[in-house]
Amino acid sequence: MHGELQELGRAVKQAQYRQHRALDSALSAIGTTLAQWDALRAISRSPGSSARELAAATFQTEQAFGTLVGRLAAQGLVERRPGHGRRIEHHLTPPGEQVLTVGHKVADEVLADCFSALPHADRATLLDLLQRLTAQRDT
């Protein structure tokens, strides 16, 4: 039993690793990284969010996210604005929006390739199963 579960865990991790490598490689061609593009996506989904909220959304520590967003701000892709109290809000700049848009196109191509071995119905089943697993952990 434990061998099967370990094999399942390894297969999920291996698929994720291959996907991340492919995405990072393709995104580097447009001048960004997977971590940077993921941060831009998180900011786009929740403009005005704090570093703490965005760190959680991108599965990073607050310190790591702060370093990353500092690089994005230095590149002119993100703007940090004062919020209520000591809160700093994060927003995309027009160049940040452009990188995000191009990154979406790149990611769509990479992910289509990553999942091309699975017919649509199998991809839908896989998505459903993974969502059920993550929902179980989030409750």
Side-chain angles (χ1 to χ4, degrees):
M1 169 91 164
H2 72 273
E4 179 182 308
L5 292 176
Q6 289 179 15
E7 190 174 333
L8 175 60
R10 181 166 168 68
V12 168
K13 185 68 176 175
Q14 186 176 22
Q16 179 189 32
Y17 178 72
R18 286 183 178 176
Q19 175 187 312
H20 283 192
R21 281 191 44 203
L23 280 168
D24 215 24
S25 177
L27 289 167
S28 73
I30 64 165
T32 194
T33 67
L34 177 55
Q36 290 173 343
W37 179 70
D38 194 37
L40 295 175
R41 281 191 313 169
I43 294 167
S44 176
R45 283 191 301 262
S46 300
S49 292
S50 70
R52 173 177 287 162
E53 294 161 337
L54 294 166
T58 57
F59 308 102
Q60 297 185 47
T61 65
E62 197 171 340
Q63 182 178 0
F65 186 83
T67 300
L68 176 61
V69 82
R71 285 194 297 268
L72 293 171
Q75 294 173 31
L77 303 177
V78 171
E79 181 179 75
R80 293 185 268 191
R81 303 177 195 158
H84 291 74
R86 295 180 4 188
R87 180 185 173 98
I88 302 295
E89 297 180 348
H90 298 80
H91 299 272
L92 295 185
T93 63
E97 292 278 0
Q98 290 175 329
V99 170
L100 180 65
T101 298
V102 175
H104 280 309
K105 292 176 186 166
V106 168
D108 286 347
E109 292 171 10
V110 168
L111 293 172
D113 185 55
C114 285
F115 293 104
S116 64
L118 298 177
H120 176 75
D122 287 350
R123 290 192 309 264
T125 298
L126 178 59
L127 176 60
D128 178 62
L129 293 170
L130 292 171
Q131 286 175 332
R132 286 172 29 200
L133 283 176
T134 56
Q136 177 187 25
R137 291 287 179 211
D138 292 341
T139 57

